[in-house]
PDB file of all heavy atoms in Angstrom:
ATOM      1  N   LYS B  64      44.488 -22.737 -27.939  1.00 93.00           N
ATOM      2  CA  LYS B  64      43.245 -23.479 -28.205  1.00 93.00           C
ATOM      3  C   LYS B  64      43.085 -24.701 -27.257  1.00 93.00           C
ATOM      4  O   LYS B  64      42.002 -25.139 -26.956  1.00 93.00           O
ATOM      5  CB  LYS B  64      43.161 -23.942 -29.643  1.00 93.00           C
ATOM      6  CG  LYS B  64      43.303 -22.839 -30.656  1.00 93.00           C
ATOM      7  CD  LYS B  64      42.048 -21.993 -30.772  1.00 93.00           C
ATOM      8  CE  LYS B  64      42.182 -20.857 -31.785  1.00 93.00           C
ATOM      9  NZ  LYS B  64      43.165 -19.816 -31.426  1.00 93.00           N
ATOM     10  N   ASP B  65      44.228 -25.264 -26.837  1.00 92.00           N
ATOM     11  CA  ASP B  65      44.173 -26.414 -25.928  1.00 92.00           C
ATOM     12  C   ASP B  65      44.116 -25.959 -24.455  1.00 92.00           C
ATOM     13  O   ASP B  65      44.139 -26.781 -23.550  1.00 92.00           O
ATOM     14  CB  ASP B  65      45.365 -27.329 -26.150  1.00 92.00           C
ATOM     15  CG  ASP B  65      46.694 -26.642 -25.939  1.00 92.00           C
ATOM     16  OD1 ASP B  65      46.706 -25.484 -25.427  1.00 92.00           O
ATOM     17  OD2 ASP B  65      47.743 -27.216 -26.267  1.00 92.00           O
ATOM     18  N   PHE B  66      44.032 -24.653 -24.246  1.00 95.00           N
ATOM     19  CA  PHE B  66      43.900 -24.071 -22.898  1.00 95.00           C
ATOM     20  C   PHE B  66      45.088 -24.367 -21.990  1.00 95.00           C
ATOM     21  O   PHE B  66      44.997 -24.253 -20.769  1.00 95.00           O
ATOM     22  CB  PHE B  66      42.604 -24.511 -22.210  1.00 95.00           C
ATOM     23  CG  PHE B  66      41.382 -24.090 -22.977  1.00 95.00           C
ATOM     24  CD1 PHE B  66      40.598 -25.050 -23.593  1.00 95.00           C
ATOM     25  CD2 PHE B  66      40.986 -22.754 -23.010  1.00 95.00           C
ATOM     26  CE1 PHE B  66      39.432 -24.663 -24.300  1.00 95.00           C
ATOM     27  CE2 PHE B  66      39.853 -22.369 -23.724  1.00 95.00           C
ATOM     28  CZ  PHE B  66      39.068 -23.323 -24.356  1.00 95.00           C
ATOM     29  N   LYS B  67      46.209 -24.833 -22.570  1.00 95.00           N
ATOM     30  CA  LYS B  67      47.352 -25.167 -21.711  1.00 95.00           C
ATOM     31  C   LYS B  67      48.278 -23.969 -21.478  1.00 95.00           C
ATOM     32  O   LYS B  67      49.040 -23.984 -20.502  1.00 95.00           O
ATOM     33  CB  LYS B  67      48.163 -26.311 -22.362  1.00 95.00           C
ATOM     34  CG  LYS B  67      47.462 -27.640 -22.235  1.00 95.00           C
ATOM     35  CD  LYS B  67      48.305 -28.745 -22.803  1.00 95.00           C
ATOM     36  CE  LYS B  67      47.645 -30.098 -22.575  1.00 95.00           C
ATOM     37  NZ  LYS B  67      48.126 -31.105 -23.532  1.00 95.00           N
ATOM     38  N   THR B  68      48.203 -22.997 -22.376  1.00 96.00           N
ATOM     39  CA  THR B  68      49.129 -21.900 -22.295  1.00 96.00           C
ATOM     40  C   THR B  68      48.376 -20.592 -22.300  1.00 96.00           C
ATOM     41  O   THR B  68      47.438 -20.397 -23.058  1.00 96.00           O
ATOM     42  CB  THR B  68      50.084 -21.913 -23.532  1.00 96.00           C
ATOM     43  OG1 THR B  68      50.580 -23.233 -23.685  1.00 96.00           O
ATOM     44  CG2 THR B  68      51.216 -20.931 -23.386  1.00 96.00           C
ATOM     45  N   LEU B  69      48.826 -19.692 -21.408  1.00 97.00           N
ATOM     46  CA  LEU B  69      48.231 -18.346 -21.398  1.00 97.00           C
ATOM     47  C   LEU B  69      49.318 -17.343 -21.836  1.00 97.00           C
ATOM     48  O   LEU B  69      50.433 -17.385 -21.302  1.00 97.00           O
ATOM     49  CB  LEU B  69      47.739 -17.966 -19.986  1.00 97.00           C
ATOM     50  CG  LEU B  69      47.084 -16.584 -19.858  1.00 97.00           C
ATOM     51  CD1 LEU B  69      45.690 -16.559 -20.464  1.00 97.00           C
ATOM     52  CD2 LEU B  69      47.045 -16.125 -18.414  1.00 97.00           C
ATOM     53  N   TYR B  70      48.984 -16.498 -22.802  1.00 97.00           N
ATOM     54  CA  TYR B  70      49.922 -15.467 -23.255  1.00 97.00           C
ATOM     55  C   TYR B  70      49.484 -14.133 -22.635  1.00 97.00           C
ATOM     56  O   TYR B  70      48.300 -13.807 -22.570  1.00 97.00           O
ATOM     57  CB  TYR B  70      49.911 -15.368 -24.761  1.00 97.00           C
ATOM     58  CG  TYR B  70      50.382 -16.610 -25.447  1.00 97.00           C
ATOM     59  CD1 TYR B  70      49.514 -17.634 -25.810  1.00 97.00           C
ATOM     60  CD2 TYR B  70      51.751 -16.795 -25.695  1.00 97.00           C
ATOM     61  CE1 TYR B  70      49.958 -18.793 -26.438  1.00 97.00           C
ATOM     62  CE2 TYR B  70      52.229 -17.957 -26.298  1.00 97.00           C
ATOM     63  CZ  TYR B  70      51.322 -18.952 -26.667  1.00 97.00           C
ATOM     64  OH  TYR B  70      51.768 -20.100 -27.262  1.00 97.00           O
ATOM     65  N   ILE B  71      50.460 -13.395 -22.153  1.00 96.00           N
ATOM     66  CA  ILE B  71      50.198 -12.127 -21.436  1.00 96.00           C
ATOM     67  C   ILE B  71      51.011 -11.001 -22.086  1.00 96.00           C
ATOM     68  O   ILE B  71      52.250 -11.097 -22.143  1.00 96.00           O
ATOM     69  CB  ILE B  71      50.623 -12.274 -19.957  1.00 96.00           C
ATOM     70  CG1 ILE B  71      49.926 -13.413 -19.273  1.00 96.00           C
ATOM     71  CG2 ILE B  71      50.331 -10.953 -19.201  1.00 96.00           C
ATOM     72  CD1 ILE B  71      50.688 -13.969 -18.078  1.00 96.00           C
ATOM     73  N   CYS B  72      50.319  -9.973 -22.549  1.00 94.00           N
ATOM     74  CA  CYS B  72      51.019  -8.784 -23.040  1.00 94.00           C
ATOM     75  C   CYS B  72      51.488  -7.972 -21.861  1.00 94.00           C
ATOM     76  O   CYS B  72      50.642  -7.390 -21.136  1.00 94.00           O
ATOM     77  CB  CYS B  72      50.089  -7.893 -23.872  1.00 94.00           C
ATOM     78  SG  CYS B  72      49.879  -8.395 -25.565  1.00 94.00           S
ATOM     79  N   ALA B  73      52.763  -7.932 -21.610  1.00 94.00           N
ATOM     80  CA  ALA B  73      53.318  -7.085 -20.531  1.00 94.00           C
ATOM     81  C   ALA B  73      53.839  -5.823 -21.234  1.00 94.00           C
ATOM     82  O   ALA B  73      55.003  -5.709 -21.609  1.00 94.00           O
ATOM     83  CB  ALA B  73      54.396  -7.790 -19.740  1.00 94.00           C
ATOM     84  N   SER B  74      52.928  -4.842 -21.382  1.00 90.00           N
ATOM     85  CA  SER B  74      53.177  -3.693 -22.273  1.00 90.00           C
ATOM     86  C   SER B  74      54.471  -2.945 -21.919  1.00 90.00           C
ATOM     87  O   SER B  74      55.307  -2.702 -22.754  1.00 90.00           O
ATOM     88  CB  SER B  74      52.022  -2.722 -22.261  1.00 90.00           C
ATOM     89  OG  SER B  74      50.862  -3.362 -22.689  1.00 90.00           O
ATOM     90  N   ASP B  75      54.632  -2.609 -20.633  1.00 91.00           N
ATOM     91  CA  ASP B  75      55.782  -1.779 -20.269  1.00 91.00           C
ATOM     92  C   ASP B  75      57.033  -2.609 -20.055  1.00 91.00           C
ATOM     93  O   ASP B  75      58.112  -2.069 -19.825  1.00 91.00           O
ATOM     94  CB  ASP B  75      55.474  -0.972 -18.993  1.00 91.00           C
ATOM     95  CG  ASP B  75      54.579   0.234 -19.338  1.00 91.00           C
ATOM     96  OD1 ASP B  75      54.282   0.437 -20.538  1.00 91.00           O
ATOM     97  OD2 ASP B  75      54.190   0.975 -18.410  1.00 91.00           O
ATOM     98  N   SER B  76      56.928  -3.915 -20.098  1.00 92.00           N
ATOM     99  CA  SER B  76      58.123  -4.748 -20.090  1.00 92.00           C
ATOM    100  C   SER B  76      58.520  -5.105 -21.525  1.00 92.00           C
ATOM    101  O   SER B  76      59.508  -5.831 -21.744  1.00 92.00           O
ATOM    102  CB  SER B  76      57.888  -6.063 -19.289  1.00 92.00           C
ATOM    103  OG  SER B  76      57.502  -5.759 -17.989  1.00 92.00           O
TER     104      SER B  76
END
Side-chain angles (χ1 to χ4, degrees):
Chain B
K64 303 285 179 294
D65 60 9
F66 299 109
K67 285 183 176 158
T68 311
L69 181 76
Y70 296 92
I71 305 155
C72 277
S74 300
D75 283 358
S76 302

